[in-house]
Structure formats: structure tokens, C-alpha cells
Amino acid sequence: MRDDHSRPRACDCRKSPPDRPCETALAVYRRALLQGSLPEADAPGCLRALHLVVEDSDAPGSLIPVPPETASFAALGSIEEAIVGQRRKLRATRAALAVFEGLYADVRRPERPVLTRLAGRAVISKALDAAVGSCREELRTAQPGGGRPSHVLGEALSRDLEMLRRGVRQRTIYQHTVRSHRATLSYIEQVTAAGAEVRTLAEVVDRVIVCDREVAFVPVPEDPHTALRVQHPALVSLLIRHFDHAWGRSVPVRPEAAPLRPSAITSDLQRTILLAVVGGETDASIARRLGMSRRSVAEHMRKVSEQLGSNSRAQLGYLLATSGLLDS
């Protein structure tokens, strides 16, 4: 029966970084080099795992040190073999996928799918990542609904910064209400510092993302978890013209002054709200469309009602329509 002294010496590898041997192994290996050998029980497990000691055939129970260069063949051989195997598997998988890609193209080519339905947030996100990742010249984005959720902005930030580093021009239109939304302003500050251009408008009709002049993404109104990928040149050009028209009417965002509400922005918002009142829209509908609260909509209406001397919504609509206040 072997006593406790015959057990391998414990090491302190857990206290050391992955790329640094433990102090116990270094000390024992140094002693083995100086003495020429050491008892088998004195060798820590990590020294054996690295093949830095081997049994002495002339002295059973003893170990002799091995030069690291020699030990590397045994220690690294299995790892290198595994890497070679993984690389071989990678090449084989790529080749197999290439065959399927050719088959897919042959079957789908007659269909020419210029519109592709993308269902589910994960599918949409992957399609967007692929399109933005291959964007070479310009990304146009229109984002309605006011301030965006922090987790959505966090996902977009790294993707957009990487694209800007590649020299791609990024232009984004938000609604005026983002100028008081901290999370969105933080995102805007970071991307504009990297070269992006951001503007705001009272009303952004719908969400649209256009990569270069090749592919666009639009939502499906009746299903918030579904989008369309548009690849028809005429439809993409139409979306680009729509975006560029809105861009020309929008107001640049300067992050350092973004919390302020310049008179141009206030009057633009107010005019859009009052036009909606004349059109018979409710406060809830106006607030939803402009990405703001019902209270803010009501406050704008109150101020104009006081100016025109209106006592009711119907009277306000009549006075607005006949006063010339909303004439271009």
C-alpha cells in the first residue's frame, strides 16, 4: 500500500493565468533540472500533463526532466492534430454548402424573388446584419415612433459603428421627439462622432432601411414581427426618392444642443398637429403618429386655442381652416 507521501504533489494552477505555469510547477521543474531527477511523488499533475517529466527507466519511482522543445511534440501534437481536423471539416462544410447554394440558385432563379417575406425578429435581425455588413456606399434609415428602446439601440450601435469605420455614409431620420429621449440621444452622439448624419422631422411616415441602392427593408403593418426585403430596382429607387425628399425637409441634430427645442422644430410639430386636428384626428392618433404623449399634443392645442379664442375642438378646427394660419 502506498502512503500519502507517494501521491503527486498538488499544484496551484487555479491561481495562475492560463498562459502562465503555476509557481509549484516552476519550482519543482527547476529542482529536477538542478538535481537531474526527482521522486515521482514530488511531480505536480500539470508538469506531467505538459510532458516535462518522464519516468526514469534506470531508476523506478523517479522522474527525469525533459527539455520543453522535446516536450512540445507530445504536449502540442494532439492539439495541432485536432486543429488540422477542424480545418479539414471547415473546408468540407464550405464545399458542401457551395453545392447547395448552386442548387438553391438554380431552383429560385426563374422566380426572381424581388420581395422576400421575413418572419420573426431573429430572421429579420440576421437579414439586416447581412445587408448592413455588406453595405459599401450608403445606408439610409427612417425611424418613426420617437425614442427607441435601449436594447434595440445597443444592438444597432456596434453594427453601425463597424459600418462607419468602413467608410460607409449613414443618414438617419428620426422624429423631433427623440430630442428629449436620453437613450436615443446617447446613440446619436456616438454615431455622429463617428461620421453619421442624423436629422429629425415632425412625422416619419414609416420605417425604412436602404443599403446602397440594392436592397431595402420595410415593415408589414398588420404584423409587427414581419418585414419585407425589397430587391426590385424600381421599388428601391422609389424608397430612396421618398427618403431623400424627407431628408431635405428635416432638421439636423447636434448632440451637444439636442435637448433644446429650436423654434423651427416647435413650429413644425405644431403645424403637423394642427393639420391633423383640421383633418379630424383624435389626440391619441396624433400622439401615436408623431411619437409623443397625448398630454404634449393637448398642450400644443391649448396654446393655439388661447391664441384664436377657441372654446371647443370643433371651433378650433373651423378657426384653423379659415384663419389662414396653416397656409404654406
Side-chain angles (χ1 to χ4, degrees):
M1 181 180 295
R2 303 176 67 180
D3 56 25
D4 290 342
H5 296 290
S6 63
R7 295 176 182 172
R9 185 173 177 180
C11 63
D12 53 357
C13 285
R14 293 182 180 180
K15 299 179 182 178
S16 302
D19 59 346
R20 174 72 181 174
C22 70
E23 295 300 325
T24 301
L26 290 170
V28 172
Y29 186 68
R30 175 185 292 273
R31 179 159 63 87
L33 290 173
L34 294 174
Q35 297 178 356
S37 66
L38 74 156
E40 183 178 357
D42 287 355
C46 58
L47 214 57
R48 295 169 177 267
L50 290 172
H51 299 272
L52 286 166
V53 291
V54 296
E55 293 184 5
D56 187 349
S57 57
D58 296 330
S62 296
L63 301 175
I64 55 176
V66 176
E69 183 179 359
T70 303
S72 66
F73 288 98
L76 302 178
S78 59
I79 299 175
E80 291 176 344
E81 184 178 345
I83 292 174
V84 170
Q86 288 296 317
R87 286 176 176 168
R88 190 182 301 114
K89 184 178 180 180
L90 176 63
R91 290 193 297 269
T93 304
R94 281 177 174 167
L97 286 173
V99 175
F100 281 101
E101 185 176 355
L103 174 61
Y104 183 89
D106 287 340
V107 173
R108 289 298 180 92
R109 187 175 291 112
E111 301 176 12
R112 295 182 179 179
V114 295
L115 292 177
T116 305
R117 182 175 178 273
L118 305 173
R121 293 184 184 275
V123 174
I124 296 171
S125 179
K126 286 184 177 296
L128 281 173
D129 286 344
V132 174
S134 60
C135 197
R136 301 181 304 276
E137 297 178 4
E138 182 172 11
L139 178 72
R140 295 172 171 89
T141 307
Q143 298 285 358
R148 303 170 69 193
S150 298
H151 72 277
V152 173
L153 292 168
E155 292 174 1
L157 181 60
S158 58
R159 180 179 63 202
D160 293 345
L161 290 177
E162 172 60 29
M163 180 192 62
L164 289 165
R165 281 192 289 268
R166 298 199 311 269
V168 177
R169 184 187 184 190
Q170 179 184 359
R171 290 192 289 165
T172 302
I173 302 175
Y174 289 107
Q175 292 182 256
H176 288 327
T177 46
V178 303
R179 292 173 179 262
S180 58
H181 190 263
R182 291 186 178 181
T184 305
L185 284 177
S186 175
Y187 162 83
I188 292 174
E189 183 175 3
Q190 293 179 75
V191 295
T192 53
E197 301 168 68
V198 179
R199 295 186 179 185
T200 61
L201 199 59
E203 181 181 6
V204 177
V205 176
D206 218 335
R207 179 170 284 105
V208 62
I209 298 172
V210 185
C211 299
D212 295 329
R213 292 180 173 272
E214 299 175 357
V215 60
F217 296 86
V218 295
V220 176
E222 61 272 16
D223 187 350
H225 303 306
T226 304
L228 288 179
R229 180 172 57 200
V230 182
Q231 294 176 287
H232 192 289
L235 293 177
V236 174
S237 295
L238 176 65
L239 292 171
I240 289 175
R241 289 196 299 272
H242 172 75
F243 177 93
D244 289 348
H245 177 66
W247 182 262
R249 296 182 290 111
S250 55
V251 183
V253 176
R254 296 176 177 83
E256 66 276 4
L260 302 178
R261 300 179 67 84
S263 58
I265 292 172
T266 303
S267 62
D268 190 18
L269 265 176
Q270 194 172 78
R271 176 181 170 80
T272 305
I273 291 170
L274 298 180
L275 283 171
V277 171
V278 173
E281 287 193 50
T282 64
D283 288 3
S285 172
I286 298 170
R288 184 168 54 252
R289 185 157 57 86
L290 300 186
M292 59 196 306
S293 67
R294 292 178 61 181
R295 179 179 298 178
S296 297
V297 172
E299 180 62 17
H300 279 284
M301 291 173 55
R302 183 190 65 77
K303 291 179 180 179
V304 177
S305 294
E306 290 179 354
Q307 293 174 9
L308 298 179
S310 170
N311 296 316
S312 68
R313 190 184 187 91
Q315 185 182 17
L316 175 61
Y318 172 78
L319 292 173
L320 288 171
T322 58
S323 65
L325 184 63
L326 298 180
D327 293 347
S328 299

